[in-house]
Amino acid sequence: MQTGRNSFAPWVHREKKSLVAVLHPLMISSLALDSGFASYVETVKGQSPRFSSNMVTSPSPPPTGLLKIDPAILFDLPPIQDILNVTELPGSRWARLTRIHVLHADGTEQRYFLKISHGSHGLAALQGEHAATLAIHHLAPSFCPRPIAVGTLRFSPTSHFYLCQWHDFLPPGGPLPPPAIFCAQLARMHHGATSPNGKFGFHCTTYNGDLPQDNRWCDTWEELFVQQLRGVLAIREERAGGKDEELEALMPGLFGTVIPRLLRPLETRGRRLRPALVHGDLWCGNVGVVDGGDAAGMVFDPAAFWGHHEYEFGNWRPHRNRFDGRYFEAYHALVERSEPKEDYDDRNMLYGVRFNLNASALFPDNAEFLEMAIKDIRYLVNKFPYAYAE
Protein backbone atom coordinates (compact mmCIF):
# COMPACT_ATOMS: atom_id res chain seq x y z
CA MET A 1 0.00 0.00 0.00
CA GLN A 2 1.37 3.38 -0.96
CA THR A 3 1.40 5.98 1.78
CA GLY A 4 2.03 9.52 0.67
CA ARG A 5 2.51 12.72 2.61
CA ASN A 6 -1.18 12.86 3.45
CA SER A 7 -0.85 9.68 5.51
CA PHE A 8 0.42 11.67 8.48
CA ALA A 9 -1.38 14.95 7.92
CA PRO A 10 -2.33 17.36 9.29
CA TRP A 11 0.62 17.97 11.59
CA VAL A 12 3.36 17.59 8.97
CA HIS A 13 1.60 20.05 6.70
CA ARG A 14 1.22 22.49 9.55
CA GLU A 15 4.90 22.19 10.46
CA LYS A 16 6.00 22.62 6.84
CA LYS A 17 3.96 25.79 6.53
CA SER A 18 5.69 27.25 9.60
CA LEU A 19 9.08 26.67 8.00
CA VAL A 20 8.53 29.23 5.27
CA ALA A 21 9.27 32.08 7.65
CA VAL A 22 12.56 30.67 8.88
CA LEU A 23 14.12 28.61 6.07
CA HIS A 24 15.67 29.87 2.86
CA PRO A 25 13.11 29.54 0.03
CA LEU A 26 15.44 27.28 -1.97
CA MET A 27 15.29 24.74 0.82
CA ILE A 28 11.53 24.40 1.01
CA SER A 29 11.26 22.06 -1.97
CA SER A 30 13.71 19.66 -0.35
CA LEU A 31 11.66 19.22 2.81
CA ALA A 32 9.23 16.61 1.46
CA LEU A 33 9.29 13.63 3.83
CA ASP A 34 9.36 10.10 2.49
CA SER A 35 6.48 7.74 3.21
CA GLY A 36 8.69 5.78 5.58
CA PHE A 37 8.37 8.55 8.13
CA ALA A 38 4.71 7.73 8.52
CA SER A 39 5.64 4.21 9.54
CA TYR A 40 8.29 5.59 11.89
CA VAL A 41 5.73 7.85 13.58
CA GLU A 42 3.34 4.98 14.14
CA THR A 43 6.14 2.77 15.47
CA VAL A 44 7.45 5.15 18.13
CA LYS A 45 4.22 6.88 19.13
CA GLY A 46 3.52 6.16 22.77
CA GLN A 47 6.86 4.55 23.46
CA SER A 48 8.94 5.88 26.34
CA PRO A 49 12.39 4.86 27.60
CA ARG A 50 13.17 3.53 31.03
CA PHE A 51 15.98 5.29 32.87
CA SER A 52 17.50 4.55 36.25
CA SER A 53 20.51 5.69 38.21
CA ASN A 54 22.11 2.24 37.97
CA MET A 55 22.94 2.84 34.30
CA VAL A 56 26.38 4.16 35.23
CA THR A 57 28.13 0.98 34.08
CA SER A 58 29.61 1.57 30.66
CA PRO A 59 28.88 -0.61 27.65
CA SER A 60 31.89 -2.73 26.83
CA PRO A 61 33.41 -4.43 23.81
CA PRO A 62 32.82 -8.18 23.54
CA PRO A 63 35.47 -10.76 24.30
CA THR A 64 37.97 -11.43 21.53
CA GLY A 65 37.26 -14.06 18.91
CA LEU A 66 33.73 -12.92 18.06
CA LEU A 67 34.46 -11.23 14.75
CA LYS A 68 33.40 -14.19 12.67
CA ILE A 69 30.24 -13.20 10.90
CA ASP A 70 27.35 -14.38 13.02
CA PRO A 71 24.25 -15.33 11.00
CA ALA A 72 22.18 -12.77 12.92
CA ILE A 73 24.27 -10.00 11.37
CA LEU A 74 23.58 -11.20 7.83
CA PHE A 75 19.86 -11.78 8.30
CA ASP A 76 18.75 -8.32 7.10
CA LEU A 77 21.14 -8.12 4.14
CA PRO A 78 20.38 -9.22 0.58
CA PRO A 79 21.51 -12.80 -0.17
CA ILE A 80 25.29 -13.13 0.12
CA GLN A 81 27.43 -15.34 -2.10
CA ASP A 82 30.73 -14.76 -0.33
CA ILE A 83 32.34 -12.75 2.47
CA LEU A 84 35.39 -11.16 0.82
CA ASN A 85 36.97 -9.42 3.78
CA VAL A 86 36.43 -8.63 7.46
CA THR A 87 38.59 -5.78 8.76
CA GLU A 88 38.74 -4.81 12.40
CA LEU A 89 38.96 -1.03 12.82
CA PRO A 90 40.33 1.21 15.57
CA GLY A 91 37.57 1.11 18.14
CA SER A 92 36.16 2.93 21.09
CA ARG A 93 36.37 2.02 24.75
CA TRP A 94 32.90 0.48 24.68
CA ALA A 95 32.58 -1.24 21.31
CA ARG A 96 34.47 -3.11 18.60
CA LEU A 97 34.28 -1.74 15.07
CA THR A 98 34.48 -3.78 11.88
CA ARG A 99 34.14 -3.31 8.12
CA ILE A 100 32.57 -6.22 6.23
CA HIS A 101 33.13 -6.56 2.48
CA VAL A 102 30.72 -8.98 0.81
CA LEU A 103 29.76 -10.28 -2.62
CA HIS A 104 26.01 -10.45 -2.99
CA ALA A 105 24.23 -13.13 -4.95
CA ASP A 106 23.37 -10.64 -7.69
CA GLY A 107 27.07 -10.04 -8.33
CA THR A 108 27.34 -6.66 -6.59
CA GLU A 109 29.95 -5.94 -3.94
CA GLN A 110 29.03 -3.94 -0.85
CA ARG A 111 30.73 -2.90 2.36
CA TYR A 112 29.02 -2.50 5.70
CA PHE A 113 29.97 -0.99 9.06
CA LEU A 114 29.52 -3.24 12.08
CA LYS A 115 29.67 -2.24 15.74
CA ILE A 116 29.63 -4.91 18.47
CA SER A 117 29.18 -4.32 22.19
CA HIS A 118 28.62 -6.52 25.21
CA GLY A 119 26.06 -6.82 27.97
CA SER A 120 22.73 -5.15 28.64
CA HIS A 121 24.14 -1.62 28.50
CA GLY A 122 25.87 -2.44 25.23
CA LEU A 123 22.56 -3.57 23.76
CA ALA A 124 20.78 -0.43 24.99
CA ALA A 125 23.49 1.78 23.50
CA LEU A 126 23.32 0.07 20.10
CA GLN A 127 19.52 0.11 20.08
CA GLY A 128 19.64 3.82 20.82
CA GLU A 129 22.15 4.44 18.03
CA HIS A 130 20.00 2.51 15.56
CA ALA A 131 16.80 4.32 16.56
CA ALA A 132 18.49 7.73 16.47
CA THR A 133 20.12 7.12 13.09
CA LEU A 134 16.84 5.82 11.71
CA ALA A 135 15.05 9.00 12.78
CA ILE A 136 17.74 11.18 11.17
CA HIS A 137 17.69 9.07 8.00
CA HIS A 138 13.94 9.48 7.63
CA LEU A 139 14.23 13.27 7.75
CA ALA A 140 17.53 13.73 5.87
CA PRO A 141 18.44 10.51 4.02
CA SER A 142 21.72 11.82 2.61
CA PHE A 143 22.87 13.19 5.97
CA CYS A 144 23.79 9.90 7.67
CA PRO A 145 24.69 6.30 6.80
CA ARG A 146 21.63 4.16 6.22
CA PRO A 147 20.92 2.05 9.33
CA ILE A 148 20.25 -1.60 8.55
CA ALA A 149 19.86 -3.70 11.67
CA VAL A 150 20.44 -4.00 15.40
CA GLY A 151 20.26 -7.18 17.42
CA THR A 152 21.92 -9.94 19.41
CA LEU A 153 24.46 -12.42 18.07
CA ARG A 154 22.95 -15.86 17.67
CA PHE A 155 26.04 -17.72 18.87
CA SER A 156 26.96 -15.28 21.64
CA PRO A 157 23.76 -14.05 23.29
CA THR A 158 25.57 -11.57 25.58
CA SER A 159 27.04 -9.69 22.60
CA HIS A 160 25.06 -7.35 20.38
CA PHE A 161 25.52 -5.59 17.05
CA TYR A 162 24.57 -2.54 15.02
CA LEU A 163 24.92 -2.67 11.23
CA CYS A 164 24.78 0.21 8.77
CA GLN A 165 25.94 1.29 5.34
CA TRP A 166 29.69 1.89 4.93
CA HIS A 167 31.17 5.13 3.58
CA ASP A 168 34.80 5.94 2.89
CA PHE A 169 35.33 9.11 4.91
CA LEU A 170 38.38 11.30 4.77
CA PRO A 171 40.77 10.65 7.69
CA PRO A 172 39.91 12.20 11.10
CA GLY A 173 41.24 15.73 11.43
CA GLY A 174 40.65 16.43 7.75
CA PRO A 175 38.45 19.18 6.34
CA LEU A 176 34.96 19.72 7.68
CA PRO A 177 32.11 20.07 5.19
CA PRO A 178 31.43 23.60 3.84
CA PRO A 179 29.29 25.53 6.33
CA ALA A 180 26.47 26.46 3.96
CA ILE A 181 25.95 22.94 2.60
CA PHE A 182 26.33 21.23 5.96
CA CYS A 183 24.02 23.62 7.80
CA ALA A 184 21.34 23.32 5.10
CA GLN A 185 21.21 19.59 5.77
CA LEU A 186 21.25 20.14 9.51
CA ALA A 187 18.35 22.60 9.24
CA ARG A 188 16.39 20.07 7.22
CA MET A 189 16.93 17.48 9.94
CA HIS A 190 15.90 19.92 12.68
CA HIS A 191 12.84 21.35 10.97
CA GLY A 192 11.52 18.63 8.68
CA ALA A 193 9.02 17.43 11.29
CA THR A 194 8.27 17.53 14.98
CA SER A 195 8.07 14.73 17.53
CA PRO A 196 5.36 12.09 17.03
CA ASN A 197 3.54 13.06 20.24
CA GLY A 198 4.43 16.76 20.34
CA LYS A 199 6.58 16.27 23.44
CA PHE A 200 10.28 16.58 24.22
CA GLY A 201 12.35 13.42 24.64
CA PHE A 202 12.73 10.21 22.68
CA HIS A 203 11.09 6.80 22.59
CA CYS A 204 14.22 5.02 23.83
CA THR A 205 17.44 5.75 25.71
CA THR A 206 20.23 7.14 23.55
CA TYR A 207 23.88 7.32 24.55
CA ASN A 208 26.43 10.11 24.34
CA GLY A 209 29.51 7.91 24.11
CA ASP A 210 28.89 5.50 26.99
CA LEU A 211 26.71 8.03 28.80
CA PRO A 212 22.97 7.19 28.80
CA GLN A 213 20.55 10.10 28.38
CA ASP A 214 17.30 10.26 30.30
CA ASN A 215 14.93 10.73 27.35
CA ARG A 216 11.62 10.14 29.11
CA TRP A 217 8.97 12.30 27.47
CA CYS A 218 8.38 15.78 28.91
CA ASP A 219 5.82 18.47 28.15
CA THR A 220 8.37 21.32 28.08
CA TRP A 221 11.95 21.75 26.95
CA GLU A 222 12.97 23.08 30.34
CA GLU A 223 11.65 19.94 32.01
CA LEU A 224 13.58 17.65 29.66
CA PHE A 225 16.79 19.69 29.94
CA VAL A 226 16.65 19.51 33.75
CA GLN A 227 15.83 15.80 33.70
CA GLN A 228 18.74 14.97 31.40
CA LEU A 229 21.17 17.23 33.24
CA ARG A 230 20.37 15.68 36.61
CA GLY A 231 20.99 12.27 35.08
CA VAL A 232 24.40 13.37 33.78
CA LEU A 233 25.34 14.85 37.15
CA ALA A 234 24.38 11.63 38.96
CA ILE A 235 26.49 9.52 36.61
CA ARG A 236 29.44 11.94 36.83
CA GLU A 237 29.30 11.78 40.61
CA GLU A 238 29.19 7.98 40.59
CA ARG A 239 32.07 7.62 38.16
CA ALA A 240 34.18 10.29 39.87
CA GLY A 241 33.71 8.64 43.24
CA GLY A 242 31.80 11.46 44.92
CA LYS A 243 30.54 15.01 44.71
CA ASP A 244 32.67 17.99 43.74
CA GLU A 245 32.18 20.64 46.41
CA GLU A 246 32.70 23.61 44.10
CA LEU A 247 30.20 22.26 41.57
CA GLU A 248 27.72 21.32 44.28
CA ALA A 249 27.73 24.86 45.70
CA LEU A 250 26.56 26.20 42.31
CA MET A 251 23.66 23.77 41.87
CA PRO A 252 20.96 25.82 43.67
CA GLY A 253 21.67 28.81 41.46
CA LEU A 254 21.89 26.72 38.28
CA PHE A 255 18.60 24.88 38.79
CA GLY A 256 16.79 27.56 40.78
CA THR A 257 17.47 30.67 38.71
CA VAL A 258 19.67 30.17 35.62
CA ILE A 259 17.78 27.37 33.88
CA PRO A 260 14.31 28.84 34.46
CA ARG A 261 15.55 32.30 33.42
CA LEU A 262 17.08 31.11 30.13
CA LEU A 263 14.74 28.28 29.07
CA ARG A 264 11.30 29.21 30.37
CA PRO A 265 11.02 32.35 28.19
CA LEU A 266 11.23 30.09 25.12
CA GLU A 267 7.79 28.70 26.00
CA THR A 268 5.99 31.48 27.88
CA ARG A 269 4.51 34.88 27.07
CA GLY A 270 2.88 33.53 23.95
CA ARG A 271 5.99 31.76 22.63
CA ARG A 272 5.90 28.13 21.56
CA LEU A 273 8.94 25.91 21.11
CA ARG A 274 8.55 23.13 18.59
CA PRO A 275 10.41 19.88 19.42
CA ALA A 276 13.16 19.36 16.83
CA LEU A 277 15.21 16.25 16.21
CA VAL A 278 18.76 17.00 17.37
CA HIS A 279 21.79 14.81 16.74
CA GLY A 280 22.76 15.34 20.36
CA ASP A 281 26.53 14.84 20.05
CA LEU A 282 27.42 16.89 16.98
CA TRP A 283 31.14 17.47 17.42
CA CYS A 284 33.66 17.35 14.59
CA GLY A 285 34.57 13.72 15.37
CA ASN A 286 31.02 12.62 14.53
CA VAL A 287 30.99 14.27 11.10
CA GLY A 288 32.60 12.77 8.01
CA VAL A 289 33.28 13.97 4.48
CA VAL A 290 33.04 11.16 1.93
CA ASP A 291 36.30 10.65 0.06
CA GLY A 292 35.60 11.57 -3.56
CA GLY A 293 32.07 12.65 -2.71
CA ASP A 294 30.35 16.02 -2.89
CA ALA A 295 31.85 17.31 0.42
CA ALA A 296 28.37 17.84 1.89
CA GLY A 297 29.21 15.83 5.00
CA MET A 298 27.44 13.07 6.92
CA VAL A 299 26.80 12.64 10.62
CA PHE A 300 27.04 9.46 12.69
CA ASP A 301 27.13 8.23 16.31
CA PRO A 302 24.03 10.26 17.26
CA ALA A 303 22.65 10.71 20.77
CA ALA A 304 19.41 12.01 19.32
CA PHE A 305 16.22 13.21 20.94
CA TRP A 306 13.49 15.77 20.25
CA GLY A 307 14.56 19.04 21.87
CA HIS A 308 15.44 22.67 21.18
CA HIS A 309 17.38 22.84 17.92
CA GLU A 310 19.80 25.40 19.39
CA TYR A 311 20.90 22.78 21.94
CA GLU A 312 22.99 21.31 19.11
CA PHE A 313 25.26 24.35 19.13
CA GLY A 314 26.29 24.03 22.76
CA ASN A 315 28.68 21.39 21.45
CA TRP A 316 30.11 23.92 18.98
CA ARG A 317 30.98 26.48 21.66
CA PRO A 318 34.24 24.84 22.83
CA HIS A 319 37.01 25.50 20.32
CA ARG A 320 38.04 21.85 20.50
CA ASN A 321 35.11 20.94 18.27
CA ARG A 322 36.19 23.05 15.24
CA PHE A 323 32.72 24.30 14.33
CA ASP A 324 33.58 28.00 14.32
CA GLY A 325 31.48 31.12 13.80
CA ARG A 326 31.04 30.43 10.10
CA TYR A 327 28.80 27.48 10.95
CA PHE A 328 26.69 29.53 13.36
CA GLU A 329 26.29 32.20 10.68
CA ALA A 330 25.45 29.68 7.95
CA TYR A 331 22.80 28.01 10.07
CA HIS A 332 21.17 31.23 11.20
CA ALA A 333 21.09 32.50 7.65
CA LEU A 334 18.46 29.76 7.24
CA VAL A 335 16.89 29.57 10.69
CA GLU A 336 16.39 32.57 12.90
CA ARG A 337 17.60 32.57 16.49
CA SER A 338 14.86 31.64 18.93
CA GLU A 339 13.12 34.38 20.87
CA PRO A 340 14.13 36.04 23.06
CA LYS A 341 17.12 36.61 20.83
CA GLU A 342 18.91 38.70 23.45
CA ASP A 343 19.33 35.49 25.52
CA TYR A 344 20.94 33.56 22.65
CA ASP A 345 24.56 33.67 23.79
CA ASP A 346 23.72 32.87 27.41
CA ARG A 347 21.52 29.95 26.29
CA ASN A 348 24.40 28.73 24.17
CA MET A 349 26.69 28.91 27.20
CA LEU A 350 24.16 26.93 29.24
CA TYR A 351 23.98 24.28 26.53
CA GLY A 352 27.78 24.27 26.42
CA VAL A 353 27.80 23.57 30.17
CA ARG A 354 25.78 20.42 29.51
CA PHE A 355 28.34 19.19 26.98
CA ASN A 356 31.28 19.93 29.26
CA LEU A 357 29.53 18.03 32.05
CA ASN A 358 28.93 15.18 29.58
CA ALA A 359 32.66 15.14 28.89
CA SER A 360 33.41 15.26 32.61
CA ALA A 361 31.22 12.18 33.13
CA LEU A 362 32.82 10.41 30.18
CA PHE A 363 36.35 11.23 31.32
CA PRO A 364 36.17 11.77 35.11
CA ASP A 365 39.97 11.71 35.43
CA ASN A 366 40.31 14.79 33.20
CA ALA A 367 39.68 17.82 35.43
CA GLU A 368 39.65 20.29 32.53
CA PHE A 369 36.08 19.54 31.45
CA LEU A 370 34.68 20.04 34.94
CA GLU A 371 36.67 23.24 35.38
CA MET A 372 35.23 24.68 32.17
CA ALA A 373 31.70 23.78 33.25
CA ILE A 374 32.17 25.33 36.70
CA LYS A 375 33.57 28.53 35.19
CA ASP A 376 30.55 29.00 32.92
CA ILE A 377 28.02 28.02 35.59
CA ARG A 378 29.51 30.56 37.96
CA TYR A 379 29.29 33.27 35.29
CA LEU A 380 25.61 32.47 34.63
CA VAL A 381 24.71 32.25 38.33
CA ASN A 382 26.28 35.67 38.91
CA LYS A 383 24.52 37.16 35.89
CA PHE A 384 21.09 35.75 36.78
CA PRO A 385 20.79 35.81 40.59
CA TYR A 386 17.01 36.20 40.75
CA ALA A 387 14.16 33.81 40.08
CA TYR A 388 12.36 34.08 36.75
CA ALA A 389 9.15 36.09 36.89
CA GLU A 390 6.59 35.33 34.18
Side-chain angles (χ1 to χ4, degrees), residues 3-219:
T3 56
R5 296 177 211 165
N6 291 333
S7 61
F8 46 103
W11 61 268
V12 165
H13 285 260
R14 183 171 64 252
E15 296 301 335
K16 286 181 64 180
K17 182 178 179 181
S18 68
L19 290 174
V20 177
V22 294
L23 291 182
H24 192 283
L26 294 179
M27 285 188 59
I28 299 303
S29 62
S30 70
L31 289 171
L33 305 177
D34 64 22
S35 59
F37 194 78
S39 300
Y40 164 76
V41 168
E42 293 305 316
T43 300
V44 305
K45 189 181 295 182
Q47 296 184 27
S48 184
R50 291 178 295 177
F51 188 90
S52 63
S53 59
N54 66 0
M55 299 178 77
V56 298
T57 303
S58 301
S60 60
T64 58
L66 291 178
L67 290 181
K68 294 179 181 179
I69 304 304
D70 188 280
I73 296 170
L74 306 178
F75 182 80
D76 288 294
L77 295 178
I80 292 174
Q81 180 175 318
D82 194 13
I83 297 173
L84 302 178
N85 185 263
V86 178
T87 305
E88 188 167 0
L89 306 170
S92 67
R93 299 181 302 166
W94 42 82
R96 299 181 71 183
L97 313 180
T98 306
R99 181 181 63 232
I100 306 173
H101 186 187
V102 306
L103 175 65
H104 286 291
D106 63 1
T108 61
E109 294 185 19
Q110 294 290 342
R111 288 176 296 171
Y112 301 97
F113 175 78
L114 174 67
K115 181 181 287 189
I116 300 179
S117 195
H118 187 66
S120 59
H121 294 294
L123 176 59
L126 296 178
Q127 288 174 330
E129 181 172 355
H130 179 267
T133 308
L134 187 64
I136 294 172
H137 192 264
H138 276 311
L139 291 177
S142 64
F143 200 36
C144 68
R146 178 175 61 87
I148 297 171
V150 65
T152 297
L153 300 185
R154 184 180 301 176
F155 297 137
S156 179
T158 60
S159 294
H160 316 283
F161 72 92
Y162 165 65
L163 186 69
C164 72
Q165 184 181 24
W166 171 270
H167 293 275
D168 284 314
F169 293 122
L170 294 174
L176 293 175
I181 299 174
F182 180 77
C183 289
Q185 293 207 88
L186 182 60
R188 180 185 182 188
M189 184 190 83
H190 285 165
H191 301 284
T194 192
S195 61
N197 55 14
K199 295 186 176 185
F200 297 88
F202 204 63
H203 65 281
C204 68
T205 300
T206 52
Y207 279 67
N208 188 308
D210 68 343
L211 185 67
Q213 295 187 133
D214 189 348
N215 290 335
R216 290 173 295 169
W217 294 108
C218 296
D219 292 327

Side-chain angles (χ1 to χ4, degrees), residues 94-388:
W94 42 82
R96 299 181 71 183
L97 313 180
T98 306
R99 181 181 63 232
I100 306 173
H101 186 187
V102 306
L103 175 65
H104 286 291
D106 63 1
T108 61
E109 294 185 19
Q110 294 290 342
R111 288 176 296 171
Y112 301 97
F113 175 78
L114 174 67
K115 181 181 287 189
I116 300 179
S117 195
H118 187 66
S120 59
H121 294 294
L123 176 59
L126 296 178
Q127 288 174 330
E129 181 172 355
H130 179 267
T133 308
L134 187 64
I136 294 172
H137 192 264
H138 276 311
L139 291 177
S142 64
F143 200 36
C144 68
R146 178 175 61 87
I148 297 171
V150 65
T152 297
L153 300 185
R154 184 180 301 176
F155 297 137
S156 179
T158 60
S159 294
H160 316 283
F161 72 92
Y162 165 65
L163 186 69
C164 72
Q165 184 181 24
W166 171 270
H167 293 275
D168 284 314
F169 293 122
L170 294 174
L176 293 175
I181 299 174
F182 180 77
C183 289
Q185 293 207 88
L186 182 60
R188 180 185 182 188
M189 184 190 83
H190 285 165
H191 301 284
T194 192
S195 61
N197 55 14
K199 295 186 176 185
F200 297 88
F202 204 63
H203 65 281
C204 68
T205 300
T206 52
Y207 279 67
N208 188 308
D210 68 343
L211 185 67
Q213 295 187 133
D214 189 348
N215 290 335
R216 290 173 295 169
W217 294 108
C218 296
D219 292 327
T220 69
W221 166 236
E222 180 187 348
E223 182 185 357
L224 179 66
F225 185 84
V226 167
Q227 175 177 283
Q228 290 185 335
L229 184 57
R230 290 194 184 279
V232 169
L233 289 167
I235 294 173
R236 193 215 71 81
E237 180 182 325
E238 178 70 21
R239 293 181 180 179
K243 296 181 183 294
D244 179 271
E245 292 183 4
E246 191 175 7
L247 177 66
E248 199 65 20
L250 294 167
M251 291 300 96
L254 176 64
F255 286 100
T257 61
V258 172
I259 292 176
R261 169 60 185 81
L262 291 177
L263 300 189
R264 201 166 298 172
L266 292 165
E267 300 179 88
T268 54
R269 300 180 182 178
R271 301 186 184 102
R272 175 178 175 268
L273 193 62
R274 171 185 168 279
L277 184 67
V278 296
H279 177 283
D281 190 17
L282 194 56
W283 70 292
C284 57
N286 286 342
V287 176
V289 175
V290 177
D291 192 4
D294 60 7
M298 303 183 82
V299 300
F300 44 85
D301 284 347
F305 58 89
W306 299 91
H308 182 204
H309 59 276
E310 289 179 5
Y311 170 83
E312 206 87 271
F313 312 132
N315 213 2
W316 294 6
R317 192 177 185 93
H319 294 300
R320 65 179 182 266
N321 289 339
R322 296 179 57 204
F323 286 107
D324 58 26
R326 297 174 301 150
Y327 289 85
F328 286 86
E329 293 172 6
Y331 185 89
H332 289 302
L334 301 171
V335 182
E336 294 182 2
R337 290 168 173 80
S338 297
E339 296 286 356
K341 294 179 182 178
E342 59 270 22
D343 289 345
Y344 178 86
D345 189 64
D346 292 320
R347 283 197 306 264
N348 184 249
M349 180 179 288
L350 176 62
Y351 296 158
V353 164
R354 163 68 192 276
F355 284 101
N356 280 328
L357 288 173
N358 283 355
S360 179
L362 289 167
F363 309 103
D365 294 332
N366 187 333
E368 181 182 5
F369 299 119
L370 183 59
E371 290 169 359
M372 288 189 290
I374 288 173
K375 178 183 176 182
D376 286 345
I377 295 171
R378 181 178 291 110
Y379 170 86
L380 292 171
V381 167
N382 289 335
K383 184 171 182 177
F384 301 108
Y386 304 112
Y388 174 69

